[in-house]
Amino acid sequence: MPLTEEATSKFIQAGPLKLHYHEAGKGPALIMIHGGGPGAGGWSNYRRNVDHFAEHFRVILPDLPGFAKSDKPKIDSGLLGFMAKAIVGLMEALDIPRANFIGNSLGGGTTLKFALDYPDRAQRLVLMGAPGLAVFTPQPAEGIKHLLEYYEAPGPSMEKLRAFLNVMVYDGSQLTDQLIKERYAASIQPDLIANPILSRSRPIMPEPLWKDFAKIKHKTLLIWGRDDRTVTLDNSFLMLNQLQDVRLHVFGKCGHWAQWEKAPEFNRLVVDFLTASE
């Protein structure tokens, strides 16, 4: 039977933070970190992938601090470092010494920062639409503009969320009303509206991780949608040039959510990469 959101849902105290996560499967640990859009969370980002990966791994889908059902702390600076520290706290609480990582967008940035700060605790890395350094396209990209405006006056709305999600994907017809309603409900929690992680009026400058890409030795798979309008494909080029053990896979007719729009092929590609002997 397919895994369900309710059956896999758990909470744990990870240092000062109470974190929510989903867990399924057995085997080597695989931590899958979601992006930073309104209403994002572990299950929301990876619902089309968790069943497949749970056949091979002990899958952990955390809700990052400030998202979904996890604590909503105030973060004034060092966003990626804060998130990476929360993930290592989660690993300590779950007695996971090392793990493979999949990170989408903000989750990709968190994974890169984790690999830099805690290199011995990371194994192989899969990064989709991770923040790098755009070399050709004007910034901020279209999707980032929608993201930063979501919590600004007059506040969140279904219309704002639908416009944002339409930028996330190549084919907006795949966005169901149910998905939009679920994401909207998750995005309007009172403590989140009072303290959004990402917004135009409360900018948190991301750490310039690109300066340290050459220090990352982990075997890494970059996955991008050619049509990503949020973290554009050219963000991958410096990673491809600087990461020590890296390869890039690009999907055509695909936006920012490669794991969602290209789920069957994505699942096979990533499992093959994570389980290959070389």
Side-chain angles (χ1 to χ4, degrees):
M1 292 181 61
L3 298 167
T4 66
E5 183 176 5
E6 295 76 16
T8 56
S9 175
K10 298 182 179 182
F11 286 90
I12 198 166
Q13 192 68 34
L17 297 169
K18 184 179 182 181
L19 299 179
H20 177 258
Y21 66 103
H22 296 271
E23 181 173 358
K26 296 180 180 180
L30 173 61
I31 299 176
M32 304 172 67
I33 309 179
H34 64 79
W43 188 267
S44 175
N45 261 206
Y46 294 112
R47 66 175 68 203
R48 293 186 173 185
N49 318 107
V50 61
D51 282 275
H52 188 84
F53 288 113
E55 296 176 4
H56 305 271
F57 303 98
R58 178 189 179 189
V59 176
I60 307 293
L61 310 180
D63 291 341
L64 289 172
F67 292 90
K69 298 178 183 178
S70 287
D71 279 353
K72 312 290 189 299
K74 186 175 182 181
I75 306 170
D76 293 318
S77 62
L79 176 62
L80 298 178
F82 187 96
M83 295 302 184
K85 187 175 181 180
I87 294 298
V88 82
L90 176 66
M91 292 174 68
E92 290 172 352
L94 293 174
D95 193 26
I96 298 174
R98 297 183 73 205
N100 295 297
F101 284 86
I102 299 176
N104 175 224
S105 197
L106 173 62
T110 299
T111 297
L112 285 164
K113 182 62 172 171
F114 186 97
L116 287 166
D117 289 357
Y118 313 100
D120 294 339
R121 306 202 68 160
Q123 294 174 289
R124 298 187 182 187
L125 315 178
V126 179
L127 308 172
M128 307 97 69
L133 184 67
V135 294
F136 297 124
T137 53
Q139 298 298 308
E142 183 180 0
I144 299 298
K145 290 178 181 178
H146 281 278
L147 171 61
L148 295 178
E149 291 297 326
Y150 185 73
Y151 287 103
E152 299 301 314
S157 68
M158 290 281 283
E159 290 72 23
K160 277 187 175 182
L161 183 62
R162 188 181 294 274
F164 170 77
L165 294 180
N166 269 313
V167 176
M168 293 296 103
V169 297
Y170 177 81
D171 180 6
S173 68
Q174 294 189 54
L175 298 170
T176 65
D177 289 341
Q178 181 63 31
L179 172 64
I180 294 171
K181 288 177 182 177
E182 289 175 1
R183 292 275 303 224
Y184 182 66
S187 76
I188 59 170
Q189 299 173 67
D191 52 356
L192 185 52
I193 290 177
N195 185 34
I197 295 293
L198 298 168
S199 66
R200 177 171 52 79
S201 59
R202 292 184 64 248
I204 301 177
M205 292 301 294
E207 300 94 317
L209 300 186
W210 59 269
K211 295 180 179 181
D212 294 318
F213 282 164
K215 297 178 182 178
I216 296 177
K217 301 177 182 179
H218 307 77
K219 189 179 290 289
T220 303
L221 172 62
L222 306 176
I223 298 178
W224 241 268
R226 180 197 62 198
D227 310 287
D228 192 333
R229 291 182 283 162
T230 301
V231 183
T232 49
L233 177 60
D234 54 334
N235 277 267
S236 70
F237 298 159
L238 187 61
M239 293 184 206
L240 188 62
N241 180 270
Q242 293 291 308
L243 297 182
Q244 294 191 33
D245 190 352
V246 63
R247 64 281 296 138
L248 170 65
H249 186 98
V250 180
F251 288 108
K253 295 186 177 180
C254 180
H256 193 53
W257 286 355
Q259 81 282 5
W260 192 81
E261 289 195 271
K262 302 294 184 180
E265 189 174 351
F266 173 91
N267 293 342
R268 294 191 299 269
L269 175 70
V270 173
V271 168
D272 286 349
F273 168 73
L274 292 176
T275 58
S277 58
E278 295 295 334

